[in-house]
């Protein structure tokens, strides 16, 4: 009987030591997971303060000062353009005017997205043509941007 009691006590002591080791291992694992979770929260917080794009393209924009004459210098600018492929949350709409409260666009014409660019064509029906566009882009992880672009085109004089 004494042998049986000693064996049972030994089994209980050994199994309780194993439980303590498993508990310590789980506590260490939980601390590692907490640390990892905190660092991921920090990364997500940083992303929410940045513009996030699905894709990027490159544009070569020649200078408007170029004379395009023989033996003249030619200048330009290469820019990288980020854009989102989500057509419902990224758009450019050519407009005549806009009002707020409530927001209303007058004579809207939504431009199509093609390789990160919104291509437009306007008729030069006077010496100077003014135009406006409502611009908006959103991404589920980052900041959104919206604004109004106003521009004018002057006819070249001979």
């Amino acid at each position: 009987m004494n042998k049986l009691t000693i064996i049972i006590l030994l089994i209980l002591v050994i199994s309780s030591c194993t439980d303590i080791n498993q508990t310590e291992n789980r506590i260490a694992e939980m601390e590692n997971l907490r640390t990892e979770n905190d660092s991921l929260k920090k990364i997500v917080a940083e992303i929410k303060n940045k513009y996030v794009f699905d894709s990027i393209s490159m544009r070569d924009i020649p200078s408007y000062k170029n004379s395009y004459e023989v033996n003249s210098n030619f200048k330009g600018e290469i820019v990288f353009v980020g854009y989102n492929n989500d057509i419902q949350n990224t758009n450019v709409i050519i407009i005549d005017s806009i009002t707020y409260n409530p927001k209303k666009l007058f004579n809207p014409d939504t431009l199509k997205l093609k390789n990160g660019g919104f291509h437009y064509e306007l008729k030069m029906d006077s010496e100077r043509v003014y135009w406006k566009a409502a611009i908006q882009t959103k991404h589920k992880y980052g900041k959104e941007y919206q604004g109004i672009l106003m521009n004018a085109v002057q006819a070249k004089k001979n």
Side-chain angles (χ1 to χ4, degrees):
M1 183 85 169
N2 284 340
K3 282 185 173 182
L4 183 62
T5 308
I6 292 175
I7 292 174
I8 291 175
L9 285 175
L10 279 175
I11 291 173
L12 289 174
V13 168
I14 291 172
S15 68
S16 68
C17 289
T18 305
D19 288 343
I20 291 172
N21 287 340
Q22 286 178 349
T23 303
E24 288 175 359
N25 289 341
R26 288 191 183 180
I27 290 172
E29 184 180 350
M30 285 175 52
E31 282 300 315
N32 288 338
L33 290 173
R34 277 193 192 111
T35 303
E36 185 178 341
N37 189 33
D38 290 344
S39 67
L40 290 174
K41 283 181 181 178
K42 182 180 176 186
I43 291 169
V44 168
E46 288 178 20
I47 288 174
K48 288 188 178 201
N49 291 322
K50 299 183 184 307
Y51 296 103
V52 178
F53 299 103
D54 293 327
S55 192
I56 193 165
S57 68
M58 185 199 66
R59 298 281 192 256
D60 180 6
I61 304 169
S63 173
Y64 68 93
K65 295 179 181 179
N66 291 336
S67 66
Y68 298 97
E69 294 176 359
V70 177
N71 295 324
S72 68
N73 289 336
F74 182 85
K75 295 181 181 179
E77 179 182 18
I78 296 172
V79 296
F80 292 94
V81 181
Y83 63 95
N84 292 320
N85 292 324
D86 184 353
I87 295 173
Q88 293 187 355
N89 289 318
T90 300
N91 54 51
V92 174
I93 304 170
I94 299 286
I95 56 175
D96 286 341
S97 62
I98 187 171
T99 60
Y100 299 95
N101 259 350
K103 183 177 177 181
K104 183 174 181 183
L105 306 176
F106 293 92
N107 197 20
D109 182 16
T110 303
L111 302 179
K112 301 273 190 237
L113 176 65
K114 182 178 180 185
N115 295 329
F118 295 88
H119 301 271
Y120 63 91
E121 185 176 336
L122 299 172
K123 185 171 182 158
M124 201 66 191
D125 55 3
S126 64
E127 289 289 315
R128 179 172 282 196
V129 175
Y130 297 93
W131 60 276
K132 298 175 191 165
I135 299 170
Q136 177 181 17
T137 185
K138 294 180 186 177
H139 195 280
K140 61 184 173 183
Y141 299 118
K143 291 177 78 173
E144 70 177 60
Y145 175 83
Q146 65 180 22
I148 301 293
L149 169 67
M150 292 187 255
N151 209 340
V153 180
Q154 178 73 39
K156 187 175 183 178
K157 296 183 180 187
N158 295 334

